């Protein structure tokens, strides 16, 4: 399961169990009964659900609880797991690992430039992934 994203009356939730037909159908029918939900789109290949909703009629918190409950999980337990994940990624140790990884991947990327194009591209991809994690960790400072 990954964290949710809420943007302008859009709510996306990812979970591996949404790849199963019966789970995806249960979530879709539960959301269809919720007032304020305009459209529900489930991507079974990825395991995600996208909900378009009216903020005046329903809150993202209610959608989260509906989805998690229809998957047979406890909403409070899932919230706690997500908090733990965010702490691990955004904690001091996580930031240190990402920074060292960025430096190492940058050096490897430069070194691979002289040896192999394919290796350079792979190392560059690793560096970009670590950069995305670094930006996520520092989003409050960078984007305020």
């Amino acid at each position: 399961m990954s964290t949710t994203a809420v943007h302008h009356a859009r709510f996306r939730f990812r979970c591996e169990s949404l790849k199963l037909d019966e789970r995806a159908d249960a979530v879709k029918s539960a959301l269809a009964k919720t007032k304020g939900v305009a459209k529900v789109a489930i991507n079974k290949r990825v395991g995600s659900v996208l909900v378009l909703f009216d903020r005046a009629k329903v809150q993202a918190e209610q959608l989260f609880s509906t989805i998690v409950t229809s998957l047979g999980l406890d909403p409070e337990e899932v919230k706690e797991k997500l908090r733990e994940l965010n702490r691990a990624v955004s904690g001091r140790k996580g930031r240190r690992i990402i920074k060292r990884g960025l430096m190492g991947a940058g050096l490897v990327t430069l070194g691979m430039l002289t040896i192999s194009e394919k290796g350079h591209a792979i190392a560059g991809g690793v560096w970009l992934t670590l950069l995305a994690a670094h930006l996520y960790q520092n989003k409050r400072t960078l984007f305020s």
Side-chain angles (χ1 to χ4, degrees):
M1 244 180 291
S2 69
T3 56
T4 57
V6 180
H7 299 291
H8 307 293
R10 293 168 48 104
F11 183 88
R12 183 177 308 276
F13 185 85
R14 296 182 199 275
C15 181
E16 289 293 316
S17 62
L18 286 171
K19 293 179 179 181
L20 303 172
D21 288 334
E22 62 272 2
R23 296 281 177 106
D25 293 339
V27 168
K28 192 168 187 170
S29 66
L31 287 170
K33 295 174 188 173
T34 306
K35 289 185 180 180
V37 173
K39 183 178 178 183
V40 178
I42 294 183
N43 185 336
K44 293 178 187 171
R45 185 177 59 81
V46 176
S48 73
V49 60
L50 175 67
V51 183
L52 302 178
F53 67 100
D54 182 1
R55 287 186 183 192
K57 295 180 182 176
V58 66
Q59 299 296 318
E61 179 71 27
Q62 292 170 294
L63 296 175
F64 176 81
S65 294
T66 301
I67 293 168
V68 171
T69 304
S70 63
L71 289 172
L73 302 169
D74 178 32
E76 292 305 316
E77 188 177 316
V78 172
K79 285 181 198 173
E80 183 57 35
K81 297 281 185 188
L82 291 173
R83 277 189 218 106
E84 289 173 13
L85 176 67
N86 280 332
R87 272 184 253 148
V89 171
S90 300
R92 187 177 194 163
K93 187 176 181 180
R95 287 193 306 270
R96 187 179 319 127
I97 290 169
I98 296 295
K99 286 177 187 176
R100 288 179 181 169
L102 272 169
M103 289 187 333
L107 292 173
V108 169
T109 301
L110 291 173
M112 292 302 281
L113 186 60
T114 60
I115 299 170
S116 162
E117 257 185 60
K118 185 177 180 180
H120 173 71
I122 292 170
V126 169
W127 186 84
L128 286 173
T129 303
L130 290 169
L131 178 63
H134 176 71
L135 291 174
Y136 175 77
Q137 288 174 335
N138 296 293
K139 64 184 173 206
R140 285 189 205 134
T141 307
L142 296 171
F143 304 115
S144 58

